[in-house]
Amino acid sequence: MKGFFVTFEGIEGSGKTTQINLFANFLEKNNYDYLITREPGGTFIGDQIRAILLNPKNIKMDPITEIFLYTASRVQHLAELIKPALAAGKIVVCDRFLDSTLAYQGYGRGISINFIEELNRLILDGVEPDLTFLLDIPPEIGVPRARMVKNDSCSLNGDRIERENMDFHQRVRMGYLRIAAENPERIKIINGNRPADEINKLISAHFEEVYAKILTNK
Ligand code: Z5A
């Protein structure tokens, strides 16, 4: 049996990490066989690429360098973790995937959407999320939330992308909403500005509904 691929997307501070942890509790309680992972990173090589990408000192990074680094991390992630886990029938839950590249590098930085789609078509080998939760929240709420957490844990006042201005985060949010409008079957938009436990209930219920349909169609 092929596994099931679930991704969580949204601007920074939208609550992805919080929701993935709650969703993992739900999967655990209900005896699902699952794997939690994230991008960039997820592998030993990917985590080294992640450190380069998020280092606020890498201020000179060209957008093309950036997109190839995110893509390199994804190639490694697919080969080492995602494809084997799906082949083993697991539910793979990933914090960010291709929609992040479209939203950040495409709508945020202005790199051609066609180029990003073509580049990813070459590396994905047909792997696509079966279900995506987009936690939608205005940047004026999400970005300060994320900065509070990062400021607690490091002294650099946010990572390289968090330091972008509000217009950038607004473009990313609008990009996400556009991607969701183009993929209504796959992407479930959830208002991220609600209590975390309410969001978790919506996510678990929607997952069960979609997963049950997939199982009956197999
Ligand atoms: N990126 C890219 O540009 N291109 C790509 O292709 C890919 C990624 C794959 C990864 O950063 C960066 O890489 C990211 C996009 C870019 N940009 N940045 N920066 P990351 O992995 O370090 O961080 P992140 O993915 O942006 O997540 P985050 O900032 O850690 O936020 P989050 O996971 O969405 O939120 P959280 O940690 O669950 O919550 C943040 C705070 O809000 C925390 O204090 C929570 O307790 C609080 N919270 C959470 N939910 C709620 C609710 N419902 N109400 C109130 N407060 C809440």
Side-chain angles (χ1 to χ4, degrees):
M1 174 194 153
K2 182 192 161 293
F4 190 75
F5 190 18
V6 185
T7 57
F8 281 70
E9 296 280 358
I11 64 162
E12 5 314 29
S14 55
K16 291 176 282 71
T17 311
T18 304
Q19 288 307 322
I20 287 174
N21 289 338
L22 294 170
F23 187 52
N25 293 342
F26 160 85
L27 293 172
E28 186 71 41
K29 237 199 289 181
N30 290 282
N31 295 318
Y32 287 102
D33 189 9
Y34 68 94
L35 170 83
I36 306 288
T37 186
R38 69 170 177 186
E39 288 203 356
T43 64
F44 182 66
I45 293 172
D47 283 340
Q48 294 171 76
I49 298 174
R50 178 183 175 89
I52 298 172
L53 278 164
L54 300 187
N55 186 343
K57 290 183 183 158
N58 287 334
I59 201 86
K60 285 187 183 162
M61 189 180 294
D62 187 276
I64 301 292
T65 306
E66 184 182 71
I67 195 167
F68 279 113
L69 286 173
Y70 279 115
T71 309
S73 166
R74 184 162 305 140
V75 171
Q76 202 61 35
H77 198 197
L78 281 160
E80 273 190 55
L81 272 190
I82 297 178
K83 283 196 207 169
L86 289 175
K90 287 184 198 282
I91 292 167
V92 176
V93 180
C94 191
D95 189 342
R96 299 191 178 282
F97 197 64
L98 169 60
D99 296 323
S100 283
T101 318
L102 292 166
Y104 282 84
Q105 281 64 54
Y107 292 102
R109 300 258 191 251
I111 292 181
S112 150
I113 296 295
N114 283 344
F115 171 75
I116 297 173
E117 286 177 341
E118 184 57 18
L119 181 62
N120 277 273
R121 195 184 59 73
L122 293 173
I123 64 148
L124 291 179
D125 195 18
V127 176
E128 303 183 345
D130 297 293
L131 173 63
T132 297
F133 291 104
L134 170 58
L135 296 173
D136 179 51
I137 195 166
E140 307 81 63
I141 299 177
V143 173
R145 268 189 193 172
R147 281 192 187 151
M148 250 163 45
V149 177
K150 304 257 157 99
N151 285 350
D152 279 353
S153 58
C154 80
S155 60
L156 286 164
N157 197 25
D159 65 39
R160 206 174 46 80
I161 289 180
E162 269 162 13
R163 293 169 126 199
E164 290 289 344
N165 62 35
M166 277 293 169
D167 285 352
F168 175 82
H169 294 290
Q170 197 58 42
R171 288 199 299 282
V172 172
R173 182 193 185 196
M174 290 303 142
Y176 268 130
L177 291 173
R178 191 162 164 182
I179 298 164
E182 288 164 359
N183 296 276
E185 288 292 307
R186 170 174 65 89
I187 303 181
K188 174 81 175 165
I189 304 175
I190 307 254
N191 177 359
N193 194 18
R194 301 176 59 164
D197 57 337
E198 275 182 27
I199 298 176
N200 169 245
K201 281 189 191 128
L202 289 172
I203 287 177
S204 307
H206 187 72
F207 164 79
E208 281 192 314
E209 193 187 311
V210 175
Y211 194 61
K213 262 192 219 155
I214 299 264
L215 286 185
T216 47
N217 290 339
K218 268 188 178 168

